[in-house]
Amino acid sequence: MTEDQHEIVTEKDATARGFYIHLRHRVGGSCRLKLVVADKGHTPVFYEDQQKSLCLICVGHLYASRSNSFVVTESLERLAEAYSRAGLEGVRSEIDGGMFALFIIDQANNKLFATADFLACMPLYYRSEHGETLIGINQFDLSNGDSPADLACAEYLTYGYLPFHHSLFAAIKRIGPGQSI
């Protein structure tokens, strides 16, 4: 592997509560991408094109407009075709619905996209600091042992959800409905 290439590693974690991506930036512009999958709970569905340059990962369920069934792998195949034709906007226009977090790893163009469903039923969180970025579906996986913010906890206990804060942790942000990073 040369210095300008990106390394992708997948591992299982018994302590993880969901699926998350750990992106570590290296000197010279390369990066190490670690996909961490929980032993239980939400199981991601992977789709990789024949050239192994494009990988789509779906946590939850989504439905592509040109799919013949409700099988997620078929929908991911349709979304990969849409991404090849029109990029992220092509993917968005092809999705008919669902409750999902969608990750697109485009190794040919060195891009990583994470997209929440249109109602944010499957929340998507991120944290970026010290040359590392974590993106995942469970804020506790990204907390790095931090304590929850008092005001966010009070907000959650008052309303039963977080209408004003991104997450329970100050360093973790939530992606809004239909948004991408």
Side-chain angles (χ1 to χ4, degrees):
M1 174 174 291
T2 64
E3 184 62 27
D4 62 342
Q5 289 180 320
H6 301 290
E7 176 185 3
I8 298 177
V9 177
T10 303
E11 67 180 45
K12 288 208 177 262
D13 184 351
T15 63
R17 295 178 175 100
F19 171 80
Y20 68 94
I21 291 179
H22 182 176
L23 180 64
R24 179 173 292 147
H25 307 280
R26 294 180 178 162
V27 179
S30 67
C31 66
R32 180 175 189 265
L33 188 66
K34 180 168 64 172
L35 310 176
V36 181
V37 180
D39 280 339
K40 55 187 177 288
H42 298 288
T43 303
V45 178
F46 293 84
Y47 171 81
E48 196 168 36
D49 67 355
Q50 291 179 345
Q51 296 81 17
K52 300 201 181 290
S53 62
L54 182 64
C55 179
L56 280 76
I57 305 163
C58 177
V59 181
H61 299 282
L62 63 84
Y63 313 105
S65 60
R66 294 183 300 118
S67 291
N68 297 323
S69 71
F70 293 114
V71 177
V72 176
T73 51
E74 183 181 338
S75 292
L76 289 178
E77 185 177 347
R78 300 291 174 262
L79 295 179
E81 293 167 5
Y83 181 82
S84 297
R85 284 191 318 270
L88 190 57
E89 289 306 315
V91 170
R92 284 190 179 134
S93 66
E94 187 72 22
I95 296 173
D96 272 351
M99 185 176 97
F100 61 88
L102 177 65
F103 301 88
I104 302 172
I105 303 169
D106 182 353
Q107 294 185 65
N109 296 306
N110 296 327
K111 293 182 180 182
L112 167 66
F113 297 104
T115 302
D117 64 65
F118 305 119
L119 297 175
C121 295
M122 179 73 66
L124 195 52
Y125 299 94
Y126 68 96
R127 175 185 193 140
S128 188
E129 60 187 16
H130 309 299
E132 294 185 347
T133 302
L134 297 166
I135 306 169
I137 63 169
N138 190 309
Q139 61 186 317
F140 295 98
D141 285 337
L142 313 183
S143 68
N144 200 22
D146 295 348
S147 295
D150 292 338
L151 190 56
C153 287
E155 181 181 316
Y156 181 78
L157 291 173
T158 301
Y159 300 109
Y161 68 104
L162 298 173
F164 306 114
H165 284 81
H166 285 281
S167 75
L168 292 172
F169 304 94
I172 298 173
K173 305 298 180 219
R174 183 176 59 208
I175 297 172
Q179 293 182 336
S180 300
I181 60 169

